[in-house]
């Protein structure tokens, strides 16, 4: 895959090519000097390209020899406006790509015209890449300083042998913490969202300090609320962290903020609870060290009137006053805040600091909880879905990262279904797998009892937190009221091991009964269309593991014309026969040879098939269903192949053909109903066409002892239901998923039958 390069603009703040210069340029990024290599040892392709640029009067050159290099890192950051820019621009995220030619490593700037290669998961770590056009972005204020810019590349397959021992040709790129090549930012962002801390600027080693409180003047929160407007200096606060929000990144191209981060802490003492805002450089220093339950001594803070539109989380103790007229601000300067973690053994009962009061809910209790109610859950993970992304705003590059999980607590036949957004805890979010004990706090109930089947799941909030590495030392274990709750996961573990049918793929919960008029869930490069037309043949395509799903609308009224199951051995495991039932409408037989265009997107790729979980290969499976990493991670030993793992879908998928209203264009898409006889709680049985209307795991109304119909019977019922849609105008929502390497899947998400099609 190649792209055309635009002419990069030279600027005053570029890292250098060559050996390091101890000085820093104006933007605070390491500089360097271009030098020619000596004649000893193996010649580096990177060095030869740099010398070719030096000898050429042109800004862009084509390397005299194009050889494959290995991509070791793809790192993202926000580029600031250039000084000559007079009109603010939308955020432009840039990418630095670290390559290796087997002799040297080099960090290069990716021309923004090639950003789509990253979005589409074509340019990623671990692949071989050929570079056919390069340029140099010079630092015009320093002699011989510049960075290598990649203007045209061809991305190949994953490399079988990757050497990580090659040194950086420019030693400035080895500096810690890592710094972007361009702009004044001091750090990189996470590759796929802005909420996760990424890189070595995020410290984790803050420890409690023994304190002598005899000389420390402390003020209560309620007293501070009454007197702060008339004070210039504020005594220390002694508080416990009750809630902690995820990170918020508010960087903008026209704002010269080095580390534009913000996080909220809800803290409390015996007199009340208040919001504390941690700003900018304090976030990388303290965010990963502060956790719910810690006791803090805060000094040299500032106080301001609270933001009127922010909704504080519900207090853990209804008896404690919620202070909403002021908020505490913690800054690195103006004034420089002093934060001290108080050892738990030093916390005195007479301080009367509030205890944590988690709202642990059982699955059996969830059925009676109202919409928007907040709760905590604990249990055993029985299903982990792939990582997906949804766009925050149209025409922007900012996304939410999320995945679907199922948690069983042994109190119900049904698990908790949780829409788990990133909680700024990537070390957990990216490493969860079935059979692990799991706790998730501050979840919100989402329900709709007016649709069939009823909608009921949980979603994370701004203050949600997740825990997975055992219960010892976690904040919820200090809550005596819920001390016995974790035992529910033991029953779930036994039941889960007996069933041993874990899946790694999950569609969204049921769509609304109402037809959507707009759509904002767009992927990186994915586009979604709502097709109208005659319904043709069902096909199932699941969402990708490394990409994001998107939904969209396109006018038209398709008709379903034919339907055939596809249960090849790779989907079903060994010794399974293909189900041969199929249906094709008479209209399709008449029109299929006279089409202007027939789009074929009904293939289901191996990475999109849900697999039964194997504990031995948990790391491999977790990597397959996560987003692509920013840096290459060498595999442990010889990695298995996805096809080696048994599919969790015994029904396979269907291929559906949809014909446009004008009978000129048709598209083959995939339809993948959820069906797993070993696990009735997370199966969706479709005796009619309900499966096309509810893309979720939802059990039928049946006793646990009922015998489920086999795959052939279910497939036959679906085929029969499709025949009822012969020549019927429908509106179909299709999910378009980009798997990278030009592999695209389109699967049927939902079908509507409009009452008025005129």
């Amino acid at each position: 895959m190649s792209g055309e390069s635009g002419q990069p603009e030279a600027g005053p703040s570029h890292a250098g090519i060559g050996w390091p210069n101890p000085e820093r340029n104006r933007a605070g990024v390491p500089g360097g000097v271009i030098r020619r290599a000596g004649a000893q040892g193996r010649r580096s392709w990177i060095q030869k390209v740099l010398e070719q640029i030096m000898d050429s009067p042109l800004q862009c050159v084509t390397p005299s020899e194009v050889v494959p290099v290995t991509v070791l890192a793809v790192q993202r950051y926000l580029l600031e406006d250039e000084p000559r820019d007079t009109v603010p621009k939308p955020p432009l995220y840039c990418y630095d790509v670290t390559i290796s030619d087997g002799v040297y490593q080099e960090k290069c700037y990716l021309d923004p015209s090639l950003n789509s290669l990253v979005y589409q998961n074509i340019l990623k770590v671990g692949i071989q890449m050929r570079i056919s056009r390069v340029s140099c972005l010079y630092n015009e204020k320093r002699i011989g300083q510049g960075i290598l810019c990649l203007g045209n590349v061809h991305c190949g397959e994953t490399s079988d042998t990757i050497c990580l021992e090659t040194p950086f040709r420019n030693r400035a790129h080895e500096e810690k913490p890592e710094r972007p090549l361009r702009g004044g930012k001091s750090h990189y962002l996470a590759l796929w969202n802005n909420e996760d801390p990424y890189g070595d600027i995020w410290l984790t080693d803050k420890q409690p300090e023994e304190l002598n409180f005899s000389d420390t003047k402390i003020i209560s929160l309620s007293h501070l609320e009454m007197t702060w407007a008339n004070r210039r200096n504020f005594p220390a606060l002694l508080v416990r962290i009750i809630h902690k929000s995820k990170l918020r990144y508010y960087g903008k191209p026209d704002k010269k903020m080095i580390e534009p981060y913000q996080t909220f802490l809800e803290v409390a003492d015996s007199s009340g609870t208040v919001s504390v805002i941690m700003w900018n450089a304090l976030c990388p220093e303290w965010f990963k060290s502060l956790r719910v339950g810690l006791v803090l001594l805060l000094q040299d803070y500032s106080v301001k009137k609270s933001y009127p539109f922010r909704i504080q989380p519900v207090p853990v103790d209804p008896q404690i006053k919620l202070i909403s007229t002021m908020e505490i601000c913690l800054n690195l300067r103006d004034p420089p805040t002093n934060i001290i973690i108080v050892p738990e053994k030093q916390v005195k009962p007479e301080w009367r600091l509030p205890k944590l009061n988690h709202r642990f809910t059982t699955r059996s209790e969830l059925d009676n909880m109202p919409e928007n109610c907040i709760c905590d859950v604990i249990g055993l993970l029985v299903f982990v879905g792939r990582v997906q992304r949804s766009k925050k705003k149209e025409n922007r590059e900012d996304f939410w990262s999320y995945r679907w999980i199922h948690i069983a607590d042994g109190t119900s036949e049904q698990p908790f279904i949780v829409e788990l957004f990133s909680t700024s805890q990537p070390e957990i979010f990216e490493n969860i797998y079935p059979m692990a004990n799991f706790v998730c706090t501050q979840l919100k109930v989402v329900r709709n009892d007016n649709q069939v089947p009823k909608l009921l799941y949980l979603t994370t909030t701004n203050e949600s937190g997740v825990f997975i590495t055992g219960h010892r030392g976690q904040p919820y274990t200090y809550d005596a009221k819920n001390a016995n709750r974790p035992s529910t996961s033991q029953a779930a573990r036994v039941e889960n091991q007996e069933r041993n049918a874990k899946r790694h793929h999950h569609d969204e919960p049921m769509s609304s009964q109402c037809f959507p008029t707009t759509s904002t869930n767009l992927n990186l490069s994915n586009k979604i269309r709502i097709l109208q037309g005659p319904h043709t043949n069902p096909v199932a395509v699941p969402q990708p593991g490394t990409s994001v799903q998107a939904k969209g609308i396109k006018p038209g009224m398709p008709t379903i014309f034919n339907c055939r199951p596809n249960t090849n051995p790779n989907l079903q495991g060994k010794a399974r026969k293909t189900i041969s039932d199929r249906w094709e409408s008479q209209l399709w037989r008449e029109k299929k040879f006279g089409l202007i265009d027939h789009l074929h997107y009904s293939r289901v790729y191996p990475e999109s098939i849900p697999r039964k979980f194997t504990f031995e290969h948990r790391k491999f499976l977790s990597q397959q269903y996560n987003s692509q990493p920013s840096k290459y991670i060498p595999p442990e030993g010889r990695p298995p192949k996805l096809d080696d793992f048994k599919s969790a879908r015994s029904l396979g998928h269907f291929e559906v053909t949809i014909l446009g209203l004008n009978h000129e264009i048709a598209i083959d898409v995939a339809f993948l109903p959820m069906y797993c006889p070993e696990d009735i709680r997370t199966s969706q049985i479709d005796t009619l066409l309900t499966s096309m209307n509810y893309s979720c795991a939802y059990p039928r109304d049946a006793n646990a002892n009922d015998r489920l119909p086999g795959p052939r019977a279910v497939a036959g019922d679906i085929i029969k239901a499709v025949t009822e849609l012969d020549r019927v105008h429908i509106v179909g929502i299709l999910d378009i998923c980009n798997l990278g390497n030009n592999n695209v899947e389109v699967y049927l998400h939902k079908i509507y039958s409009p009452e008025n099609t005129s």
Side-chain angles (χ1 to χ4, degrees), residues 70-74 97-100 105 124-127 162-164 166 630-633:
T70 303
V71 178
L72 299 182
V74 180
V97 179
T98 301
I99 59 175
S100 171
Q105 294 182 31
K124 56 187 176 182
V125 298
I127 66 167
I162 297 178
C163 179
L164 299 178
T166 54
S630 184
K631 289 188 174 182
Y632 175 72
I633 303 172

Side-chain angles (χ1 to χ4, degrees), residues 256-273:
K256 305 298 182 182
M257 306 289 295
I258 302 299
E259 291 158 347
Y261 287 97
Q262 175 195 76
T263 190
F264 282 85
L265 303 173
E266 301 300 320
V267 303
D269 62 10
S270 61
S271 67
T273 179

Side-chain angles (χ1 to χ4, degrees), residues 16-151:
I17 294 175
W19 301 113
N21 186 320
E23 298 183 48
R24 292 181 181 272
N25 59 26
R26 181 180 64 83
V29 183
V33 180
I34 299 176
R35 293 181 178 174
R36 297 181 181 272
Q40 299 124 355
R42 175 186 167 191
R43 287 279 287 166
S44 164
W45 179 84
I46 293 173
Q47 186 67 43
K48 287 191 288 185
V49 170
L50 292 175
E51 293 177 1
Q52 183 180 347
I53 293 177
M54 293 168 56
D55 294 336
S56 172
L58 302 176
Q59 186 177 4
C60 295
V61 300
T62 298
S64 57
E65 180 185 9
V66 179
V67 301
V69 295
T70 303
V71 178
L72 299 182
V74 180
Q75 296 171 291
R76 183 177 69 105
Y77 56 100
L78 182 68
L79 187 64
E80 295 175 347
D81 286 344
E82 299 289 350
R84 56 183 171 274
D85 291 334
T86 57
V87 179
K89 298 178 181 178
L92 173 61
Y93 293 102
C94 294
Y95 296 90
D96 291 343
V97 179
T98 301
I99 59 175
S100 171
D101 62 4
V103 179
Y104 285 129
Q105 294 182 31
E106 183 76 11
K107 186 182 290 186
C108 309
Y109 173 71
L110 184 70
D111 190 274
S113 65
L114 303 181
N115 283 3
S116 61
L117 297 180
V118 180
Y119 302 159
Q120 298 175 47
N121 200 29
I122 295 173
L123 201 171
K124 56 187 176 182
V125 298
I127 66 167
Q128 293 283 303
M129 181 173 70
R130 295 178 183 270
I131 303 170
S132 57
R133 184 184 301 169
V134 295
S135 61
C136 184
L137 267 63
Y138 291 98
N139 183 350
E140 296 175 347
K141 291 193 175 183
R142 298 198 183 276
I143 297 176
Q145 287 190 8
I147 60 177
L148 191 65
C149 174
L150 307 182

Side-chain angles (χ1 to χ4, degrees), residues 107-282:
K107 186 182 290 186
C108 309
Y109 173 71
L110 184 70
D111 190 274
S113 65
L114 303 181
N115 283 3
S116 61
L117 297 180
V118 180
Y119 302 159
Q120 298 175 47
N121 200 29
I122 295 173
L123 201 171
K124 56 187 176 182
V125 298
I127 66 167
Q128 293 283 303
M129 181 173 70
R130 295 178 183 270
I131 303 170
S132 57
R133 184 184 301 169
V134 295
S135 61
C136 184
L137 267 63
Y138 291 98
N139 183 350
E140 296 175 347
K141 291 193 175 183
R142 298 198 183 276
I143 297 176
Q145 287 190 8
I147 60 177
L148 191 65
C149 174
L150 307 182
N152 202 346
V153 301
H154 177 83
C155 299
E157 300 297 326
T158 301
S159 176
D160 294 330
T161 57
I162 297 178
C163 179
L164 299 178
E165 304 302 323
T166 54
F168 275 102
R169 189 200 52 78
N170 183 352
R171 292 176 184 170
H173 296 163
E174 298 176 350
E175 187 180 56
K176 303 295 182 182
E178 292 183 287
R179 295 175 180 270
L181 291 177
R182 297 192 64 190
K185 301 300 182 187
S186 66
H187 68 291
Y188 289 105
L189 299 169
L191 185 57
W192 301 112
N193 65 53
N194 290 341
E195 283 71 44
D196 288 342
Y198 170 82
D200 42 22
I201 69 166
W202 297 89
L203 306 181
T204 59
D205 56 354
K206 298 292 185 179
Q207 300 297 322
E209 299 180 22
E210 294 280 348
L211 294 174
N212 183 358
F213 290 93
S214 59
D215 297 329
T216 303
K217 184 178 181 181
I218 296 174
I219 188 172
S220 70
L221 291 175
S222 60
H223 190 196
L224 181 64
E225 180 190 25
M226 293 184 292
T227 62
W228 73 270
N230 299 319
R231 289 178 177 268
R232 298 189 62 183
N233 299 306
F234 306 109
L237 295 173
L238 187 62
V239 292
R240 188 185 297 278
I241 301 176
I242 304 302
H243 296 299
K244 173 186 171 183
S245 77
K246 60 185 174 185
L247 282 170
R248 174 177 174 260
Y249 179 78
Y250 64 94
K252 295 182 179 179
D254 57 338
K255 301 294 183 182
K256 305 298 182 182
M257 306 289 295
I258 302 299
E259 291 158 347
Y261 287 97
Q262 175 195 76
T263 190
F264 282 85
L265 303 173
E266 301 300 320
V267 303
D269 62 10
S270 61
S271 67
T273 179
V274 72
S275 295
V276 172
I277 311 175
M278 184 180 295
W279 290 95
N280 303 331
L282 275 185

Side-chain angles (χ1 to χ4, degrees), residues 548-559:
V548 197
Q549 104 167 353
K551 297 184 172 121
I553 302 177
K554 179 181 178 182
M557 202 64 71
T559 328

